[in-house]
Amino acid sequence: MAKKPTKQDDLARNVTPPGTRLTDNLGHAISDDQNSLTAGPRGPTLLEDFLLREKIHHFDHERIPERVVHARGAGAHGYFQLDTSLAEYTRAEVLTEVGVQTPVFARFSTVAGSRGSADTARDVRGFAVRMYTSQGNWDIVGNNIPVFFIQDAIKFPDLIHSVKPEPHNEIPQAASAHDTFYDFISLTPEAMHMLLWVHSDRGIPRSFSMMEGFGVHTFRLVNARGQAHFVKFHWKPALGAHSLVWDEAQKIAGKDPDFHRRTMWETIDQGGTLEWSLGVQVFTAEQAARWDFDVLDATKLIPEDLVPVRRVGRLVLNRNPDNYFSETEQVAFMTTNVVPGIDFSDDPLLQGRNFSYLDTQLSRLGSPNWPELPINRPLVTVSNNQRDGHMRQTINPGRVSYFPNTLGGGQPAGVPAARGGFATFPEPVGGVKLRARPESFSDHYGQARLFWNSQAPIEKEHIVKSLQFELSKVDTRAIRMRMLDHLEQIHPLLASQVALALGEKARASEHAVPGGSADAAAETRLLAGAIARPTASGKLLRATALSLESGQPKTPKGRRVAILAADGVSAEHVAAVQRALKTAGAGADVVGLHLGELGGGVSATKTLGNTDAVLYDAVLIPGGARSAQALSQQGDALAFLAEAYKHGKPVAALGEGVEVLSASEIGRAVRDTPPAAPAASAGDAVQHLSEVGSARRLTGAGSTALAEH
Ligand code: HDD
């Protein structure tokens, strides 16, 4: 069987290895591109200097407009492999050919910030996956949140104008905590469901590989017999979905604004992979008609309790791009990139997106020939009568560029659906022309309440604190009050908790628990009452899979540990810990007082001065009397431990390392309550890492293991 073309081979056609001979852009060998051509050594530069002009001309035009949304992102190559055929539902080869590896390029992004903003801003994350299938490109241009702020694409410019930095002073960058956003949101009740997701721990993921992805819209699958089913697409991360805590996210934005892209880059660079399962929720129009929400409304999800997610294949990212601009920046995802067997629904948000993604590429990439760019061109042959335009790369021979024709042998001719051509699903439609929202889109609070009800107490606390943070930064009191009214509609307890930080009384303020999380008794009362009526939620009061606290895989894999060490550290301990971490799939840095040799062959790769506790998931202090003593007297080392502890991270020590813990704030905190089960070895200490949950506490006791080696 002929080898399937890979995207890597295809991209390689355009990869130019660095030459040894300096040339200009047209291949002329050049003797000197460091000195302009001047009249005498101190004289004026001559117009004749074509080299100066070429070099500066190219530089002057190096920038293209950043994406109007999702400007900051990072991408990687890989493949998708199907395990279970969906032939019953679709004729798309990528979803029916089991075992075939389809090349993939994926890009993850934040939405609001500009290209140079920080990775860990509280925001939705873009999750765009391009599959270079045997039938052309298929893009799932999704997010890490399964619902959207608005129901109709015509509101998208308003939404984005409100969240972007305010136009008079271009403040704030990459943040929704400002008046214009909440002015718009407080007048847009349909946004409440997604707003809660953004304020939950989902808004600050730990890494790209620890986020779920969602196609958001209802799409259609059409099988070889022409029968249609509805479908929602999901990406389920192999490492489980996990998050940062807000204080940590803000600090990382300063300490390492590239935190997420660096983690992905380094994982792949060191031979690792990022992996997800492709999940589908397939359902019929008849099923959809029975639910109390509309599957064409992108502010609603389909609870997995109603339609379980079937995992049908695996996405693996395993190769970094060769060039950020040519690949990650120039990739042009489009919701309209579908293949025969996959079709759209009438979701008005999706219908609008289908216009926007094509349109935006022209202003971003500058020419209608952008599909010829290496990262965008499909692996199948492109053949049509479209010609010319700026920067045309393809050379079309012959004199025929029209259809019908006889001079070109009647080619290229349309391919009937029966032989693999794309044909739109012939859904019967009708009705009067109007601008109106359907009645079935009108419940804006039911699923927001379902989401709130489904969160664990610590997750609710995080949502409350996040809303307190953002709304307290809104200057206009009337906007804050409108927001409290909406929160009240979702759940009185939520409103009253948020109101506390705003110095306001929400209507149900009698339920408020000062400074605390949800009060169980009050919550039970409220859940039982009319407030908890299960509207737009498939009659569910709670739904599984909405909380990150339940059902997510927990593993040390993909985590990063700081091994705090100074001169004289126990090399044996360091080696044992490094071995155990490697076996567990976790990364480690030896963080010293200085770089390089610490004795016994241990080498520090980071210093207390150039890294920070917020960049790690756990801290481990090996033994070694001299090292422990030096660290115990180092304010930076003690602050490092205190910070990790504050963020609820596992902190473990071996041998004399325990002395450092005792000297730190942790020592004081745990003096009276020693850990229930001290770790017995490096392996146990590492095992302790899997305790890192997604909903760590911001304050209060972190988790500590004291280990004797
Ligand atoms: Fe969008 C980019 C995801 C609604 C218009 N969008 C963009 C990207 C992602 C999403 C992941 C970045 C792709 C990349 O990495 O290059 N967008 C979504 C999701 C939505 C959504 C999941 C709702 C379910 N978007 C949406 C609407 C519109 C747009 C309603 C316009 C009517 N989106 C765009 C855009 C962008 C874009 C302006 C900017 C750059 C680009 O397309 O290529 O066209």
Side-chain angles (χ1 to χ4, degrees):
M1 201 170 84
K3 191 172 163 282
K4 287 234 172 207
T6 68
K7 190 62 191 171
Q8 196 166 344
D9 296 338
D10 177 59
L11 291 172
R13 283 162 45 199
N14 287 74
V15 174
T16 343
T20 49
R21 212 169 133 262
L22 178 70
T23 72
D24 67 6
N25 276 335
L26 295 162
H28 306 110
I30 299 301
S31 57
D32 177 2
D33 80 342
Q34 300 295 301
N35 295 291
S36 304
L37 185 71
T38 52
R42 299 183 61 249
T45 303
L46 300 178
L47 188 59
E48 186 188 325
D49 191 351
F50 64 93
L51 256 183
L52 166 77
R53 291 208 314 275
E54 182 203 81
K55 193 170 169 185
I56 300 291
H57 159 77
H58 196 275
F59 172 77
D60 286 345
H61 302 281
E62 268 173 19
R63 288 288 173 274
I64 62 171
E66 65 174 32
R67 288 167 174 81
V68 59
V69 283
H70 296 265
R72 180 166 179 82
H77 293 275
Y79 64 86
F80 169 71
Q81 185 167 331
L82 190 72
D83 305 324
T84 310
S85 170
L86 291 175
E88 191 186 345
Y89 305 111
T90 177
R91 64 195 178 103
E93 288 171 10
V94 63
L95 293 179
T96 54
E97 293 185 341
V98 171
V100 170
Q101 290 193 353
T102 301
V104 159
F105 186 76
R107 181 176 179 273
F108 307 104
S109 45
T110 52
V111 178
S114 60
R115 235 186 99 178
S117 57
D119 282 349
T120 55
R122 179 176 293 280
D123 199 349
V124 186
R125 296 301 184 287
F127 196 121
V129 180
R130 146 113 17 114
M131 303 190 213
Y132 300 91
T133 87
S134 50
Q135 296 174 297
N137 293 351
W138 176 33
D139 295 350
I140 304 181
V141 197
N143 281 339
N144 75 329
I145 287 178
V147 288
F148 204 63
F149 284 116
I150 48 171
Q151 297 169 320
D152 186 328
I154 202 163
K155 294 174 82 132
F156 191 68
D158 301 295
L159 167 71
I160 300 305
H161 287 173
S162 79
V163 73
K164 283 275 182 179
E166 299 195 4
H168 59 317
N169 58 9
E170 180 101 340
I171 297 174
Q173 178 57 246
S176 50
H178 57 116
D179 284 48
T180 56
F181 180 63
Y182 284 100
D183 190 20
F184 174 80
I185 290 292
S186 63
L187 299 169
T188 311
E190 71 207 55
M192 294 305 146
H193 185 198
M194 181 158 180
L195 189 77
L196 282 203
W197 279 81
V198 177
H199 283 290
S200 78
D201 296 325
R202 309 266 181 165
I204 40 173
R206 161 62 181 83
S207 67
F208 294 145
S209 58
M210 296 182 205
M211 327 191 281
E212 294 186 324
F214 303 90
V216 181
H217 308 281
T218 296
F219 287 87
R220 221 186 288 264
L221 294 179
V222 185
N223 67 17
R225 294 188 300 281
Q227 296 160 328
H229 285 79
F230 285 132
V231 65
K232 292 258 192 192
F233 295 110
H234 297 246
W235 297 108
K236 298 273 189 188
L239 302 182
H242 302 286
S243 299
L244 301 166
V245 290
W246 180 225
D247 182 60
E248 197 184 11
Q250 291 176 88
K251 288 172 177 164
I252 294 174
K255 296 283 180 184
D256 184 5
D258 304 311
F259 187 65
H260 285 153
R261 66 168 60 173
R262 187 190 306 284
T263 304
M264 177 161 76
W265 181 275
E266 288 178 351
T267 303
I268 294 176
D269 206 39
Q270 289 157 13
T273 54
L274 287 78
E275 299 190 19
W276 290 262
S277 299
L278 174 66
V280 289
Q281 285 178 298
V282 181
F283 55 98
T284 60
E286 293 70 38
Q287 270 176 293
R290 288 197 293 271
W291 295 325
D292 57 358
F293 55 90
D294 196 325
V295 298
L296 301 183
D297 172 358
T299 67
K300 306 296 187 297
L301 52 80
I302 300 178
E304 294 187 25
D305 311 71
L306 297 185
V307 182
V309 173
R310 280 178 62 188
R311 295 173 186 235
V312 297
R314 204 158 63 99
L315 169 66
V316 177
L317 300 181
N318 58 6
R319 189 168 78 80
N320 280 321
D322 287 309
N323 184 281
Y324 183 90
F325 180 83
S326 305
E327 299 175 79
T328 311
E329 193 60 17
Q330 293 202 124
V331 66
F333 290 97
M334 300 201 303
T335 49
T336 41
N337 265 340
V338 292
V339 292
I342 301 173
D343 208 334
F344 313 110
S345 69
D346 295 336
D347 172 346
L349 195 74
L350 175 59
Q351 299 273 324
R353 290 180 75 193
N354 284 349
F355 163 70
S356 186
Y357 289 75
L358 174 67
D359 188 45
T360 201
Q361 310 312 342
L362 195 60
S363 72
R364 234 165 51 72
L365 301 170
S367 146
N369 288 316
W370 60 263
E372 295 182 331
L373 291 169
I375 195 68
N376 292 324
R377 70 184 171 219
L379 284 174
V380 291
T381 306
V382 172
S383 173
N384 58 42
N385 288 316
Q386 293 171 36
R387 292 290 186 274
D388 309 345
H390 280 293
M391 308 308 295
R392 183 70 171 175
Q393 311 282 308
T394 309
I395 299 172
N396 300 105
R399 57 178 169 156
V400 175
S401 54
Y402 54 88
F403 191 87
N405 66 65
T406 56
L407 297 179
Q411 305 289 336
V415 183
R419 285 199 285 115
F422 185 88
T424 296
F425 179 70
E427 183 191 17
V429 290
V432 293
K433 291 183 192 174
L434 78 174
R435 294 187 187 274
R437 212 67 64 84
E439 182 56 32
S440 54
F441 281 28
S442 62
D443 182 339
H444 304 317
Y445 301 107
Q447 286 211 353
R449 191 176 306 120
L450 179 70
F451 181 73
W452 169 259
N453 287 344
S454 305
Q455 301 300 295
I458 182 69
E459 293 175 297
K460 287 182 175 165
E461 189 177 319
H462 287 177
I463 293 172
V464 166
K465 289 207 162 126
S466 176
L467 281 161
Q468 289 179 336
F469 175 92
E470 297 220 346
L471 293 178
S472 64
K473 287 181 163 233
V474 170
D475 292 334
T476 311
R477 179 161 183 256
I479 297 176
R480 299 198 299 260
M481 295 308 285
R482 283 205 301 270
M483 282 308 303
L484 285 179
D485 282 347
H486 288 299
L487 299 182
E488 182 97 25
Q489 296 290 321
I490 298 169
H491 203 293
L493 205 62
L494 168 63
S496 57
Q497 297 290 324
V498 174
L500 284 174
L502 305 182
E504 305 287 355
K505 272 186 184 294
R507 266 181 279 141
S509 57
E510 65 269 22
H511 302 294
V513 185
S517 60
D519 170 83
E523 186 166 17
T524 313
R525 271 199 315 280
L526 290 164
L527 266 176
I531 296 303
R533 68 195 178 281
T535 47
S537 61
K539 302 193 170 49
L540 299 165
L541 275 181
R542 286 196 173 87
T544 45
L546 300 186
S547 163
L548 292 177
E549 276 294 89
S550 53
Q552 292 292 337
K554 287 185 179 172
T555 160
K557 202 170 168 205
R559 300 287 182 171
R560 193 144 201 97
V561 179
I563 303 174
L564 276 195
D567 292 312
V569 68
S570 159
E572 196 193 332
H573 283 176
V574 174
V577 165
Q578 282 174 329
R579 250 194 327 273
L581 285 171
K582 196 163 180 207
T583 311
D589 288 330
V590 175
V591 180
L593 304 184
H594 59 79
L595 282 184
E597 185 64 23
L598 302 179
V602 177
S603 184
T605 50
K606 292 272 165 35
T607 70
L608 283 170
N610 78 4
T611 191
D612 197 276
V614 292
L615 304 177
Y616 297 94
D617 297 291
V619 187
L620 196 135
I621 314 163
R626 253 191 329 126
S627 167
Q629 201 189 8
L631 290 172
S632 302
Q633 290 166 4
Q634 228 340 298
D636 282 352
L638 302 180
F640 194 101
L641 284 173
E643 184 85 340
Y645 186 69
K646 175 183 172 190
H647 292 143
K649 295 174 181 173
V651 177
L654 294 162
E656 294 94 341
V658 172
E659 291 164 22
V660 191
L661 279 188
S662 306
S664 73
E665 267 178 44
I666 302 176
R668 283 194 289 285
V670 299
R671 193 150 297 140
D672 301 329
T673 50
S681 67
D684 272 15
V686 168
Q687 186 51 40
H688 194 59
L689 257 179
S690 58
E691 301 299 316
V692 185
S694 52
R696 283 179 283 123
R697 269 178 195 283
L698 181 58
T699 52
S703 101
T704 310
L706 306 182
E708 292 302 333
H709 186 61

